[in-house]
Amino acid sequence: MIVFPNCKINLGLNILALRPDGFHDIETVFYPVALNDALEIIPAPDGLIQFTSTGLSIPGDAEANLCLKAFRLLQADFGLPGVKMHLHKVIPMGSGLGGGSSDGAFALKLINDLFALGLVNDQLGNYARRLGSDCAFFIGNQPQFASERGDHLKQSDISLTGLYLVLAIPEIHVNTAGAYRMAAPRMPAHPLKELIRHPIEAWKDLLVNDFEKPVFKKHPRLGEIKQKLYDAGAIYAAMSGSGSALYGLFDGGTKPEIQLPGCFTWISQL
């Protein structure tokens, strides 16, 4: 069986406070975007667990991959046989697009279907939270307001349908833990739930990503890319998550034309 894990962008991201468990309370809106990896899982009669990948290089120990971790979570509870997994990686790592989290969440859903485990989304979401803070979002995979660690989710009726999205991903890797260390938690004057109700045309002056200031200071190129998106006519532009991906939302009438040297650029109508 094959699935196609997609990425996400963040519409606003406020870092509210450092939690006693060492994580941070945040508020953001996760919005799904159809830039996809591909994940195949098949049973292995020999009982072995095999993981391979193509596409973008995946650094680190394969055992740390969230797809394998997802399988082992379910194997421990359901006594699953071995599997062969193959991941074709398209969504860049360290870009703030949640590609790894999506891979892990989609692995849970695929294993659930492949072995007819009968788990419903609430149960899959609980497993996903054990994988990572934003993994649970990709179980429902609909626009959602996220709070606490990013794993407390409520359905959002925000729609960007019809707009063009330009994703600009430079060859810069931003470590999420390092980005949190650079950011200063703060309580915003107005909650994100209130601000995001304004027309998209007003978001430029209202919605912020608290990672931008420290990350742009360390990587000025990212701030330059954001400005180029606005110069090209974006209604709203921002960094996704802790970066390094930038995105611009453009009016849906005409497909935007923009040149961003040194970036992987992906354009799609939402």
Side-chain angles (χ1 to χ4, degrees):
M1 298 180 71
I2 300 177
V3 291
F4 299 93
N6 59 276
C7 67
K8 57 81 179 168
I9 56 174
N10 295 76
L11 305 177
L13 198 165
N14 295 325
I15 305 170
L16 305 179
L18 179 64
R19 297 162 52 96
D21 60 9
F23 290 90
H24 288 77
D25 282 324
I26 67 167
E27 58 177 10
T28 188
V29 172
F30 291 133
Y31 199 93
V33 171
L35 175 65
N36 304 82
D37 292 338
L39 174 66
E40 181 180 28
I41 303 178
I42 60 174
D46 56 11
L48 297 178
I49 301 168
Q50 180 182 348
F51 177 83
T52 57
S53 65
T54 53
L56 296 176
S57 175
I58 303 175
D61 183 2
E63 284 295 321
N65 187 277
L66 291 183
C67 296
L68 274 176
K69 287 187 174 182
F71 175 75
R72 294 194 186 281
L73 280 178
L74 294 178
Q75 185 186 44
D77 286 352
F78 294 94
L80 302 179
V83 292
K84 293 182 179 180
M85 293 187 178
H86 183 79
L87 176 64
H88 182 71
K89 193 68 183 156
V90 175
I91 304 166
M93 285 71 70
S95 60
L97 296 173
S101 297
S102 181
D103 295 337
F106 272 75
L108 290 171
K109 294 192 285 187
L110 179 50
I111 295 162
N112 182 49
D113 292 340
L114 181 63
F115 294 104
L117 302 182
L119 298 171
V120 298
N121 276 3
D122 283 349
Q123 293 170 302
L124 288 169
N126 288 332
Y127 279 107
R129 288 178 180 88
R130 293 166 64 183
L131 291 177
S133 294
D134 58 355
C135 291
F137 160 71
F138 291 101
I139 298 297
N141 211 24
Q142 297 291 325
Q144 297 189 69
F145 180 83
S147 58
E148 298 185 11
R149 289 174 47 185
D151 59 353
H152 186 77
L153 303 168
K154 290 187 177 180
Q155 200 74 19
S156 170
D157 60 2
I158 295 296
S159 175
L160 305 178
T161 300
L163 296 179
Y164 276 101
L165 172 75
V166 175
L167 270 182
I169 310 172
E171 293 183 358
I172 297 172
H173 184 281
V174 177
N175 177 272
T176 299
Y180 270 108
R181 286 193 294 270
M182 292 189 294
R186 65 179 186 90
M187 294 301 296
H190 302 280
L192 179 61
K193 279 185 177 179
E194 175 185 319
L195 298 179
I196 206 161
R197 293 293 178 188
H198 288 77
I200 296 175
E201 290 78 10
W203 286 2
K204 181 179 180 180
D205 299 317
L206 296 174
L207 295 192
V208 299
N209 178 341
D210 284 343
F211 283 116
E212 285 190 5
K213 187 174 181 180
V215 172
F216 286 5
K217 184 177 181 180
K218 184 174 182 179
H219 302 286
R221 169 73 174 140
L222 301 183
E224 295 169 2
I225 294 170
K226 179 179 176 179
Q227 186 57 52
K228 285 187 177 181
L229 289 167
Y230 274 125
D231 292 343
I235 303 169
Y236 177 67
M239 187 170 73
S240 184
S242 57
S244 61
L246 284 298
Y247 68 87
L249 300 175
F250 291 76
D251 183 86
T254 305
K255 185 176 181 179
E257 296 183 6
I258 181 170
Q259 298 295 323
L260 295 167
C263 290
F264 167 69
T265 305
W266 185 81
I267 303 175
S268 180
Q269 194 164 31
L270 297 170

